[in-house]
Structure formats: C-alpha cells, structure tokens
Amino acid sequence: MNLRAASAIAMKDLKTAFRSRMVIVPILITPLVMIAVLPLALFLGLHSTGTAGINGLDMMMKNFPGGLPFADQKRAAVFLAINYLFPAFFLLIPVMAASILGAASFVSEKEHRTLETLFYAPVGLREIFLAKAVGTFIPAYLVTLLSFLIFGAVVDVSGWLMFHEILFPNLKWILVIAWVSPAVTILAIMFMVLISSRVQTSQEAQQMVTFIVIPFVLLLVGQTTGLFMLSEWLLLLGGAGIFGLDAWLFLIATRHFIPEKML
Amino acid sequence: MSVIVAENLSRTFGPGRYAVRDAGFEIAEGAVFGFLGPNGAGKTTTVRLLNGILTPTSGKASVFGFDSVRSAGKIHEICGVLTETAGLYESLSGLDNLMFQGSLYGLSHGDARSRSNELLRRFDLTDADDKPVKKWSTGMKKKLALARALLLRPKALFLDEPTSGLDPESASLVNVMVARMAREEGVTVFLCTHQLKYAEEICTEYGLISRGSIIAAGSAVKLAEGMDASLRLCLRGKNLPADIGLEEDSSGVSRIVVRNDAESAALIRRAINGGAEIYEARLHRASLEELYFHYQKRFAEKTTDLDQMLPGGAR
C-alpha cells in the first residue's frame, strides 16, 4: 500500500470538499437542526405547553407498546424522544454526511474528469478506492461524533434543568454511535461509489441519495406509529446486518471502480 | 530502439464496434511521433490502451518494455500524460495541483515544491499560481496540464492536443519546448493532434489513424513515397516548353510531377535549351497537410468501396 499517495488523495479530497459551499452548508446545517434546534424545541415546548403541543410525541405516547415507564407526562415524553425518536433522526446524520462527502469524492472527480488523472498516476486502483473511501469515512464519522457530543450537551443541560437528572448517554446511544453509525456511514459511501459508476454529475448523484434515506425515514415512521420500536437488540442486530451489507457492497464496489466503468 | 510498441492492438466497445482496430506501430526512443486523425478516430483510446487505463480486446502494447496490462503501474511511473479527458482540480490552485501530483508520485514536499515552482516559472504561470484553477483562462489551464505531465521528468510523454486552445505565442512555446525535450533529453513523445502545422514543425515520425485503423505510418519521406505525385517541379518563366506536360495555374506558376532530383534537373535543362527564360524553379514536396488528406481520402474511398461490396454495410 502506497500510504503516502493514499493520504495525499484523502487530504486532497478533504481540501476540495471543504472549499465547496455545496458540501459544507448541508453538512453543517442539517446536523445542527437535528441535534440542537429539535431537542431545544422539545424541551422548550414541554416547558411551556406540556405534551399536547408536540404531535408526533402524542401519537408515540398513545401507541407505545406495553405502556410508558413514567407517570409524569413530561418525563415520559422526554424518555420517548431520547430513546426512540432521536436515535432514528440521528442515523440520518452519518447517511447525509457520508453521501455528500462521498459524492464530492467519487462523483465530482468523475464529473470534472480528474479521475482519469488519478488513473494515470502510479497508484493502484484499490489504493485509490481505499484512500477515497477512508478519506470520506473519517470526516463523515467526525461530523457524527461531534453531533453526538453537542446533542449530549443540549439534552443533559436541559434535562438537568427540568428533571435534575442526567439523561444521556445510555447503552442505546452508545450502540447508535459506536455500532450502527459506522455501519451506515460505510453503507452510504459504498452506495455512492456504485452510483458514481452510473451517473455523470453530482446533481444526479444527489437525487439518488433519496433511495438510501428512505429506510431511515421508514424507521422514523415506525417509531412514531409504534409499529416497531428501537430496542438495544434491534440496534445490535440491525448494525450487524448493515455491516454484512457493507461487506457485500464493498466487493461489488471494488469491481465497479475500474477505468472501464468510471471513465 | 523502439520504446513504444503496439502489435495488432484492438479495442471494441460493444460487439463489432471498434474504437481501435489492429493498430501496429513502433516508436524509437527520442522520436516525436505525430499521431494524426480526425476527432473520434481513436487517438485517445490508443493513449489509454498504451497506458493500461483500458485493456485491449486483442493484441498488445508495451512502453519501455513494460506490458501495458501487466505492468501499467511501471508505465505510469515513467510517463507523463496530458489528455483532454484528464482534468485539473479546479478548486485547487496551480501550485496545489502540481504538489498533489508530486505526492502521488512519491516526491518529498520540498522537491515537489521546488520542481512545481520551476515549471510554473517556465510556463509563465507564477502570477496566478495561488488562485483556484477555475479562475484561469483555457490557455493557462492547458499550460498547467502540460507542466503537470512534465513534473516527474518523464521518459515518455503522451500529449493529446497540447496546443489546442492556446494563443499562437503559447502554442509556439509549447512546440519549441516539446521539440527541445526530445532532442536534448531524449524524451519520447507521442503527440496526438489535428493541428498539422505544429505537428509538421516538430514530429520526426507519423502515424495516421482513421476510424480506429492505422492507415499510414513512418517518416514524412516515407509517407511521401507512398503517395503518387508527392514531388512537383514548379517553374515560373517565359517560353516554357509546351510538350513536357506542364500545367500552369492562375498565378503563372507551372507544375509537373517528378520522381526525383535528377529528373527535375533534366527538365530544367531541357527547358533552358529550348529557349525558355526561367525566373524561378523549385521542388515542392507534399506538405504534411497534403499527405494527411491524401491518405485519409484514399482510406475513405477504400472503405466506401468495401461498404458497397458487402450488402448491408457489414464490415
């Protein structure tokens, strides 16, 4: 492995990605809304109006299988939001970050015809592929981790003020961050590589991202309707399943990442 | 010694759709090989095949003895490539583009910087070297792409239309530079172009390609030998003999096809002995442009004949 060249490729990808407003704006704004604005709105909403004002939560409370573990309406609402609603939201952050950075790394090189330049360099195809995949994974996962920390701070400070207890993190969140998030980050990257062999422009690629977001939206719907709930077991198994899917897609993606398909 | 070799090289995209068909040529070290043909003739595909970016459907190619399929990495280490399809990083500066290329080839940071600056100076790009390349003019981008191809002091250079989009000054600079590298540093140059005027100035050998097939190859002299009427005696004067087959054009110059110098001398002597007054006499060799069109036309005629012979146009 030509580490020097591989790290040069990864660094170059980062540099070009973070110079593009198309990349940086959605990567910063979307998580910020999910991790700071939404939880703050939840706590402020509960503080001023009680639970009635928050529609989705109302429904979740009614539909929660087996009844809620808290008698206090506010505490129950926060419990539901933190354990079931936000984890599903949160998984959208690595998916979004990885697909935007992946598009910048793979599709935009194809679009701007710089991929051929890389192919002419004395760097193996597999090295280019891995450099770009790892170079996408690291910043995407960093965005997720950073979001996790900010979310934790917001929830804990608000929770302390409202209930005088530390609500976060718990086992479920640790599974979300350390197990499921890396798996979906890789999933989004592999998906992007496969897309990049089929589309010509970043715009087309962004449209295809909708497909990978759909399962996570369904997860969210599942939570609010009580159809199925995110348990620790579900996260553990789901994560393993996604890792398995990652491995399979990795094999397919490496076969697609050849000049014949990418130029 | 031949350093770039193609043997029966073919590449199809889809069944029966040849981009390159049975191409064969040998290019000597230090030669400037002009690869000439219209758009879509298969020039870029040939460059990709020689560099192992594409795999041939049949036949083989090698560069400095390295097989294009098995040792593509070795070829990439010693070759510089400029193609219209291999772009620059538009959001990076000129210097960053070159530095990145240097790091891909394992140059140390310091070496990459000094070599990059040297090339930016040589191509007169120092004023803009910190601005992102997307703000540069087409000509500047072209020069940067050429600088990038030269960064690692390649033993062979593949240049795909290096002078298109350049102003005459820059095109001339590029031409002089390429010729000097071949002459002084022994760099072998594979030059794809349809700017025949520039090609004629610097190329030592030619390959003509049309619809994926090599239709003629060799030095200008060899190409001329294959063309009837490639040498003409041009005479301007009074009382030129009428019986030797001279054809006069509107500018008052009379021409006749000759085979060699001796024949031309004999004709001049005969005219003078016959009482002609000669103001000007010169031998006109077919220009590259004339040779090019001659071979392209002949090939087109041959393939149309073939098309007509085979019902349904199947070839």
Side-chain angles (χ1 to χ4, degrees), chain B residues 46 96 168 186 202 235 258 301 309:
Chain B
T46 307
D96 280 348
I202 60 170
L235 293 175
V258 293
E301 284 164 4
M309 273 157 59

Side-chain angles (χ1 to χ4, degrees), chain A residues 127-257:
Chain A
E127 287 166 315
I128 300 175
F129 177 78
L130 282 175
K132 289 179 115 10
V134 173
T136 307
F137 180 85
I138 292 174
Y141 193 57
L142 279 179
V143 167
T144 310
L145 279 183
L146 202 68
S147 308
F148 174 71
L149 292 177
I150 298 173
F151 179 73
V154 171
V155 169
D156 276 342
V157 169
S158 315
W160 185 257
L161 290 175
M162 200 174 264
F163 309 113
H164 304 288
E165 55 179 308
I166 295 287
L167 307 168
F168 192 85
N170 53 26
L171 177 62
K172 196 172 267 175
W173 273 97
I174 289 170
L175 281 172
V176 167
I177 293 306
W179 181 244
V180 186
S181 291
V184 300
T185 307
I186 299 173
L187 183 72
I189 296 171
M190 291 309 135
F191 192 68
M192 261 304 148
V193 180
L194 290 176
I195 288 177
S196 68
S197 68
R198 267 147 228 246
V199 301
Q200 295 302 327
T201 66
S202 308
Q203 231 169 1
E204 284 175 80
Q206 300 291 1
Q207 286 158 5
M208 303 281 278
V209 171
T210 331
F211 291 111
I212 196 173
V213 172
I214 287 172
F216 297 94
V217 173
L218 289 179
L219 187 66
L220 208 60
V221 173
Q223 302 303 292
T224 49
T225 54
L227 203 59
F228 61 92
M229 300 309 259
L230 268 184
S231 65
E232 282 84 354
W233 279 110
L234 186 64
L235 286 171
L236 211 57
L237 289 175
I242 299 172
F243 271 120
L245 193 61
D246 289 347
W248 182 61
L249 285 178
F250 177 81
L251 290 178
I252 300 180
T254 44
R255 251 181 286 144
H256 274 79
F257 193 75

Side-chain angles (χ1 to χ4, degrees), chain A residues 6-28:
Chain A
S7 65
I9 292 172
M11 287 309 291
K12 186 271 304 161
D13 277 357
L14 264 187
K15 209 168 174 176
T16 44
F18 283 94
R19 273 186 198 178
S20 159
R21 217 170 292 150
M22 301 272 284
V23 171
I24 202 85
V25 171
I27 275 194
L28 291 184

Side-chain angles (χ1 to χ4, degrees), chain B residues 3 11 15 30 35 45 56 66 89 94 100 107 120 134 138 160 188 224 255 262 264 272 287 303-304:
Chain B
V3 291
R11 169 68 206 212
F35 199 46
T45 304
F66 295 116
Y89 290 100
F100 173 59
L107 279 193
L120 288 169
K134 63 175 161 235
T138 317
D160 192 358
T188 310
R255 290 185 172 80
S264 145
I272 292 170
S287 67
T303 47
T304 8

Side-chain angles (χ1 to χ4, degrees), chain A residues 7-186:
Chain A
S7 65
I9 292 172
M11 287 309 291
K12 186 271 304 161
D13 277 357
L14 264 187
K15 209 168 174 176
T16 44
F18 283 94
R19 273 186 198 178
S20 159
R21 217 170 292 150
M22 301 272 284
V23 171
I24 202 85
V25 171
I27 275 194
L28 291 184
I29 298 293
T30 321
L32 215 59
V33 170
M34 288 187 190
I35 61 179
V37 178
L38 285 180
L40 272 180
L42 169 74
F43 280 103
L44 287 176
L46 286 175
H47 186 67
S48 58
T49 64
T51 51
I54 300 163
N55 274 326
L57 273 179
D58 267 8
M59 202 157 76
M60 274 179 87
M61 288 169 80
K62 261 188 252 139
N63 294 334
F64 192 75
L68 285 161
F70 294 95
D72 175 11
Q73 286 280 297
K74 286 182 186 174
R75 185 65 185 84
V78 169
F79 164 79
L80 274 181
I82 290 178
N83 284 290
Y84 298 97
L85 197 58
F86 280 114
F89 258 134
F90 211 88
L91 287 175
L92 283 172
I93 294 174
V95 170
M96 185 234 24
S99 50
I100 291 173
L101 286 166
S105 172
F106 288 92
V107 185
S108 102
E109 287 239 30
K110 181 180 184 178
E111 187 176 8
H112 296 113
R113 303 193 301 191
T114 46
L115 205 52
E116 188 164 347
T117 311
L118 281 183
F119 289 152
Y120 280 116
V123 186
L125 286 178
R126 196 153 277 220
E127 287 166 315
I128 300 175
F129 177 78
L130 282 175
K132 289 179 115 10
V134 173
T136 307
F137 180 85
I138 292 174
Y141 193 57
L142 279 179
V143 167
T144 310
L145 279 183
L146 202 68
S147 308
F148 174 71
L149 292 177
I150 298 173
F151 179 73
V154 171
V155 169
D156 276 342
V157 169
S158 315
W160 185 257
L161 290 175
M162 200 174 264
F163 309 113
H164 304 288
E165 55 179 308
I166 295 287
L167 307 168
F168 192 85
N170 53 26
L171 177 62
K172 196 172 267 175
W173 273 97
I174 289 170
L175 281 172
V176 167
I177 293 306
W179 181 244
V180 186
S181 291
V184 300
T185 307
I186 299 173

Side-chain angles (χ1 to χ4, degrees), chain B residues 117-274:
Chain B
N117 281 325
E118 178 193 331
L119 283 164
L120 288 169
R121 262 197 310 279
R122 201 176 344 154
F123 283 100
D124 200 17
L125 295 170
T126 41
D127 287 347
D129 62 1
D130 55 342
K131 287 200 190 74
V133 167
K134 63 175 161 235
K135 301 221 164 102
W136 290 22
S137 70
T138 317
M140 288 165 70
K141 286 182 191 171
K142 200 84 185 203
K143 287 199 274 184
L144 183 65
L146 185 60
R148 187 176 65 181
L150 298 179
L151 191 75
L152 275 292
R153 302 181 200 281
K155 289 167 81 172
L157 256 183
F158 292 87
L159 304 176
D160 192 358
E161 297 294 349
T163 47
S164 73
L166 291 184
D167 54 46
E169 290 86 350
S170 306
S172 181
L173 169 83
V174 165
N175 236 26
V176 167
M177 206 144 122
V178 169
R180 198 172 58 205
M181 277 193 310
R183 209 173 43 237
E184 291 170 11
E185 296 165 37
V187 176
T188 310
V189 183
F190 190 92
L191 175 74
C192 303
T193 186
H194 34 229
Q195 294 193 307
L196 302 174
K197 189 174 81 68
Y198 289 120
E200 192 164 25
E201 279 173 25
I202 60 170
C203 293
T204 53
E205 277 174 68
Y206 301 93
L208 271 53
I209 183 170
S210 185
R211 290 159 76 174
S213 300
I214 306 280
I215 54 176
S219 63
V221 174
K222 193 173 163 225
L223 289 182
E225 278 169 9
M227 171 181 169
D228 302 328
S230 71
L231 203 57
R232 283 193 179 86
L233 172 64
C234 306
L235 293 175
R236 192 166 63 81
K238 229 163 49 186
N239 303 329
L240 296 175
D243 58 340
I244 57 171
L246 280 169
E247 282 175 27
E248 189 176 340
D249 69 12
S250 56
S251 63
V253 177
S254 301
R255 290 185 172 80
I256 180 171
V257 175
V258 293
R259 277 190 301 273
N260 48 36
D261 288 351
E263 193 180 340
S264 145
L267 281 172
I268 296 171
R269 201 178 312 118
R270 185 166 156 199
I272 292 170
N273 291 344

Side-chain angles (χ1 to χ4, degrees), chain B residues 75-96:
Chain B
I75 295 178
H76 298 170
E77 276 173 25
I78 53 169
C79 294
V81 182
L82 161 87
T83 74
E84 295 201 310
T85 50
L88 296 158
Y89 290 100
E90 300 262 327
S91 62
L92 297 182
S93 70
L95 184 63
D96 280 348

